[in-house]
Amino acid sequence: MLRVSNVCKQFNETVVLDNVSFSVEKSDILGLAGPSGGGKSTLLRCMQKLDTSDSGSIECNGRVGFMFQDFQLFPHMTVLENLIYAPTLKNKKLNHQKQARDMLKNLGIASKADTYPRHLSGGQKQRVALARSLMIKPDILLCDEPTSGLDVATTTDVVTLLESVCEMGVTMVIASHDLDFLTKISDRIILLNGGKIVVDIRPQELDDAVDYLKKYY
Ligand SMILES: Nc1ncnc2c1ncn2[C@@H]1O[C@H](COP(=O)(O)OP(=O)(O)O)[C@@H](O)[C@H]1O
Ligand SMILES: [Mg+2]
């Protein structure tokens, strides 16, 4: 589905990604762990072509969606307008309203279609951001820190929510500093430290995956 081969990236003198290679199979949820500054966001940005690597290659079969950290909803647009903005830029003729309303319904926030982001809770903003990133029908969805700023109860909802997205057939790569969350949701976890992959595990196969990963922080 996605193959990252020997990717290197520097910002000035700082090596941020140091010969990173891995691949993601279809319908897998890959967790991207590691301490702050480890290179997680940079790797996701390179995967989405928001940034370019200095060397190496990233090959992907299919459309890539991206869910930003801190949601980045357009504040002056309603929930529905947020969802149809990008698809409408791409194809003006098509009416995207029905797809948007169906998506909101699937994610349990149909009643918020005409609400502005400032009137939503953190968990609701999260759902809107997810709905918006699913509008382009991605084959693979990249999520950067999807639980940051959410309380514990909402984090549990995000696990259920992202699992339901996986069941829609979307492959996912989720970057997070939150190990409890990541071990709950991921089929496989790679840990980036100083731009290198230092761990590659399947958390179900470890009794104490969280403790194991903590050693690298
Ligand atoms: N645009 C940029 N210019 C310079 N340095 C950057 C830039 N973006 C990220 N970095 C640096 O790259 C390193 C990795 O950052 P990042 O990918 O955001 O890590 P993480 O998401 O794991 O916290 C950090 O040292 C950060 O300061
Ligand atoms: Mg980051």
Side-chain angles (χ1 to χ4, degrees), residues 11 18-20 24 33-34 42-45 65 86 90 102 116-117 119 154-155 170 182 192 212:
F11 285 114
D18 188 358
N19 207 26
V20 172
V24 188
T42 304
L43 180 57
L44 288 188
R45 292 174 61 80
K90 236 177 164 183
D102 286 348
Y116 285 90
H119 297 304
T154 317
T155 296
V170 181
L182 219 51
L192 269 183
Y212 181 77

Side-chain angles (χ1 to χ4, degrees), residues 161-182:
L161 192 64
L162 292 180
E163 277 170 353
S164 71
V165 173
C166 187
E167 278 159 24
M168 296 174 197
V170 181
T171 306
M172 273 185 278
V173 179
I174 305 175
S176 178
H177 69 283
D178 182 344
L179 290 178
D180 281 311
F181 163 69
L182 219 51

